């Protein structure tokens, strides 16, 4: 019998914790604020930014949105980041990716001050995650760790398989599981015997970007299955896991929608609170 890990409920509890933290700071006369930069007209990016703004408002976090045209130059974008870096009243800065062609994402990631880098994409923050001494963790892997912890699932000693090695999901996810003493295998498009490796997993994380990629024959009986995928098929959102067949083998499974997705924004809010506390020497 499987149990669905309810991302909506867990993210609500994280958000409540953040709201309480923001209120505590407010009592000390400290505001918590996030600047969000969006360049161009990508519809998905617009939705993500609108959702981040809504979440900030609900938790008492001040949000400033900078919507720049696709024609924005690299210099203009870096100049805005420089201004936001210098403002004491801005705790977190994020630039919604992907950027329109012609803009250098790495330069933008490098330009954001590490202490305001609430996406945890700056090389300094990436390095700190590797060492295991970090303040910010990329929001999606952080959200997955929160889900595991909420459900009482301890990765220690477990075989963990992560499918995907992106900088924002797969790699940091594998490091976080390793820090929790999981035995971690990272798979990618060149992995041989993928199904066999997946079948060895006690905890299987799918971050591939292909609808229904993980099928029941790739899953061990009793595995914990975490579906990061957000794919559109005929206008419908679906994950990387073939939920209907895989759920029968899993002990725990995340749905799409309502699984990992809601956690990502909640953890962004948590990172923003952490930034505000750190910048006011309260951590
Ligand atoms: P990405 O950068 O495209 O990375 C996909 C990874 O999957 C790559 O490492 C790739 O391997 C691997 N892969 C592709 N085809 C494969 C195959 N046939 N066998 C094994 N591995 C394969 O994607 P991402 O940014 O990590 O995102 C992954 C998914 O998660 C997407 O659906 C995305 O929309 C979703 N996502 C969701 C959230 C959320 O909040 N829920 C947040 C972020 C991302 P190579 O490295 O060899 O190319």
């Amino acid at each position: 019998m499987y149990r669905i890990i309810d991302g909506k409920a867990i993210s609500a509890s994280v958000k409540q914790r953040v709201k309480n933290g923001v209120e505590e700071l407010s009592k000390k006369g400290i505001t918590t604020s996030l600047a969000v930069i969006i360049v161009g007209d990508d519809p998905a990016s617009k939705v993500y930014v609108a959702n981040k703004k809504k979440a900030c408002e609900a938790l008492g976090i001040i949000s400033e949105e900078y919507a720049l045209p696709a024609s924005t130059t690299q210099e203009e974008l870096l100049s805005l980041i420089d201004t936001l870096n210098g403002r004491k009243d801005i705790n977190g800065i994020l630039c919604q990716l992907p950027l329109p062609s012609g803009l250098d994402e790495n330069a933008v990631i490098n330009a954001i001050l590490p202490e305001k880098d609430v996406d945890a994409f700056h090389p300094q923050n990436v390095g700190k995650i590797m060492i295991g001494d970090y303040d910010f963790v990329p929001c999606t892997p952080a959200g997955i760790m929160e889900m595991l912890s909420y459900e009482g699932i301890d990765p220690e000693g477990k075989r963990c398989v992560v499918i995907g090695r992106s900088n924002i999901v797969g790699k940091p996810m594998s490091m976080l599981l390793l820090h929790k003493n999981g035995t971690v295998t990272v798979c990618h498009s060149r992995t041989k015997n993928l199904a066999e490796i997946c079948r060895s997993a006690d905890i299987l994380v799918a971050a591939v970007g292909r609808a229904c990629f993980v099928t029941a024959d790739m899953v061990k009986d009793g595995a914990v299955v975490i579906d990061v995928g957000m794919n559109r098929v005929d206008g419908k959102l679906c994950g990387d896991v073939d939920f209907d067949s895989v759920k029968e083998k899993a002990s725990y499974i995340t749905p799409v929608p309502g699984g990992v997705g809601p956690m990502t924004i909640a953890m962004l809010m948590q990172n923003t609170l952490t930034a505000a506390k750190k910048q006011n020497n309260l951590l």
Side-chain angles (χ1 to χ4, degrees), residues 108-157:
V108 168
I109 287 169
N110 285 326
I112 295 173
L113 272 183
E115 56 266 38
K116 296 192 177 187
D117 170 38
V118 286
D119 265 338
F121 293 165
H122 189 285
Q124 186 173 311
N125 287 325
V126 174
K128 290 180 98 176
I129 292 163
M130 184 74 111
I131 297 165
D133 171 24
Y134 44 79
D135 303 313
F136 305 125
V137 181
C139 302
T140 302
I144 293 169
M145 295 311 286
E146 187 76 31
M147 290 175 123
L148 294 178
S149 160
Y150 187 94
E151 294 292 345
I153 301 162
D154 184 358
E156 177 154 332

Side-chain angles (χ1 to χ4, degrees), residues 19-213:
K19 193 171 188 225
N20 295 345
V22 169
E23 277 168 15
E24 283 302 309
L25 290 189
S26 169
K27 282 181 200 154
K28 296 182 165 73
I30 298 166
T31 55
T32 306
S33 65
L34 175 67
V36 180
I37 305 169
I38 177 168
V39 189
D41 299 313
D42 179 56
S45 292
K46 281 184 167 176
V47 171
Y48 294 143
V49 166
N51 287 341
K52 288 168 187 176
K53 194 173 171 188
K54 220 161 76 183
C56 283
E57 280 164 7
L59 305 189
I61 296 174
I62 298 163
S63 74
E64 286 190 10
E65 186 184 328
Y66 295 86
L68 308 180
S71 59
T72 302
T73 65
Q74 184 77 16
E75 290 69 29
E76 286 166 339
L77 183 52
L78 292 181
S79 163
L80 171 60
I81 291 172
D82 195 41
T83 302
L84 295 169
N85 278 341
R87 276 181 52 189
K88 286 226 166 347
D89 61 325
I90 295 288
N91 303 118
I93 304 170
L94 80 79
C95 185
Q96 187 66 44
L97 301 179
L99 291 172
S101 61
L103 293 172
D104 179 353
E105 285 188 359
N106 279 336
V108 168
I109 287 169
N110 285 326
I112 295 173
L113 272 183
E115 56 266 38
K116 296 192 177 187
D117 170 38
V118 286
D119 265 338
F121 293 165
H122 189 285
Q124 186 173 311
N125 287 325
V126 174
K128 290 180 98 176
I129 292 163
M130 184 74 111
I131 297 165
D133 171 24
Y134 44 79
D135 303 313
F136 305 125
V137 181
C139 302
T140 302
I144 293 169
M145 295 311 286
E146 187 76 31
M147 290 175 123
L148 294 178
S149 160
Y150 187 94
E151 294 292 345
I153 301 162
D154 184 358
E156 177 154 332
K158 302 221 166 60
R159 283 182 176 269
C160 307
V161 172
V162 179
I163 321 174
R165 56 173 165 180
S166 70
N167 290 336
I168 62 165
V169 186
K171 283 182 199 156
M173 186 72 243
S174 59
M175 291 313 303
L176 297 185
L177 290 165
L178 187 60
H179 292 320
K180 287 287 179 191
N181 301 316
T183 301
V184 183
T185 303
V186 184
C187 301
H188 45 78
S189 66
R190 315 286 173 88
T191 297
K192 294 200 167 69
N193 304 323
L194 180 72
E196 189 185 324
I197 296 168
C198 291
R199 272 196 300 274
S200 73
D202 301 309
I203 299 175
L204 178 62
V205 181
V208 192
R210 292 183 179 212
C212 297
F213 181 83

